[in-house]
Amino acid sequence: MERLDKFLSAQTTLSRRDASAKVRRGAVTVNGAVVRDPSQKVDPTTCAVTLDGQAVSYFRHIYIMLNKPAGILCVSRDPHAPTVVDLLPEEWRARELFPAGRLDKDTTGMVLLTDDGDFAHRMLAPKKHVPKRYLVTLDHPVDQATVASFASGMTLMSGEVCLPAKCEPLEGNEAIVTLHEGKYHQIKRMFAACSLHVEALHRLSMGGLPLDPSLAPGESRMLTDQEVMTVFL
Ligand code: URA
């Protein structure tokens, strides 16, 4: 059971305060009867709630795609620096959201945020091998020895062994890298082991889901049910 105003702000675009105001004004019904008390407890799995005459559907979890700008921490909360959750619209922040897979502060591109712990676990479990693709800008062009080293499953300077990864050189100093795991600073450390320096890193896709090109840096949107499934295809 949860408070009606909290339920409404989590399931709609209303803030908690606007949801309370709507309830007090008589715009909300629960199981067919107008309820004017925002603190009334509802069971979201069984109650039929309407707002301004429209049914409010219940999403157990939410999944959000964000185009992360540089300079933002990829954690839920930080007392000193802006985080990916701080970039989201206020109404989504009522949820306990966290990023499913981190990017470095200076890395840009696709981040998925959710309140679904199982989803995040599936996304990150090395056995699931969900591929993540990155556009990498380096200080020099990538040679075939580097491509071979990525493909063979290289050992980092720390002694950690990486799963085989794909490195596809592009024009100039760029490459597309596909990883199936997420070690700390992994791409930077893999290129460092090949005497190359990463100047910029941008995540293009996670599993079968590409970053929506209509999202400007800092913008986010909810995933459709279909897209949530696509991540694991
Ligand atoms: N590899 C890195 O080095 N940094 C990232 O943010 C992601 C992958």
Side-chain angles (χ1 to χ4, degrees), residues 148-213:
S149 189
F150 271 62
S152 66
M154 73 170 72
T155 303
L156 299 175
M157 288 184 239
S158 61
E160 288 165 88
V161 179
C162 298
L163 291 175
K166 196 165 172 191
C167 176
E168 301 162 84
L170 302 174
E171 288 288 297
N173 295 352
E174 290 191 328
I176 303 270
V177 169
T178 307
L179 292 186
H180 296 271
E181 58 184 341
K183 298 188 197 304
Y184 179 67
H185 290 337
Q186 182 161 351
I187 292 181
K188 292 171 185 163
R189 292 196 293 150
M190 288 175 91
F191 279 112
C194 302
S195 305
L196 286 165
H197 178 72
V198 172
E199 309 216 308
L201 189 53
H202 180 79
R203 184 149 66 195
L204 300 165
S205 66
M206 299 175 81
L209 190 62
L211 176 63
D212 181 339

Side-chain angles (χ1 to χ4, degrees), residues 23-126:
V23 174
R24 277 195 224 92
R25 260 185 261 133
V28 176
T29 66
V30 177
N31 294 335
V34 173
V35 171
R36 290 176 187 272
D37 176 4
S39 71
Q40 172 154 331
K41 294 279 172 43
V42 292
D43 177 351
T45 59
T46 56
C47 289
V49 178
T50 68
L51 169 68
D52 293 328
Q54 302 288 314
V56 178
S57 22
Y58 172 57
F59 298 103
R60 205 162 86 79
H61 292 298
I62 60 171
Y63 307 88
I64 296 162
M65 179 192 295
L66 167 76
N67 184 359
K68 178 189 170 305
I72 303 290
L73 289 181
C74 205
V75 295
S76 301
R77 260 173 239 107
D78 187 90
H80 307 295
T83 73
V84 284
V85 170
D86 295 331
L87 295 177
L88 303 178
E90 195 193 328
E91 60 273 14
W92 296 342
R93 280 187 263 138
R95 302 266 190 152
E96 293 288 312
L97 293 167
F98 50 87
R102 290 195 184 176
L103 292 180
D104 297 337
K105 187 174 176 186
D106 57 352
T107 301
T108 59
M110 182 165 169
V111 174
L112 294 180
L113 292 122
T114 184
D115 55 357
D116 180 350
D118 289 342
F119 175 89
H121 181 73
R122 284 173 73 199
M123 169 70 76
L124 303 177

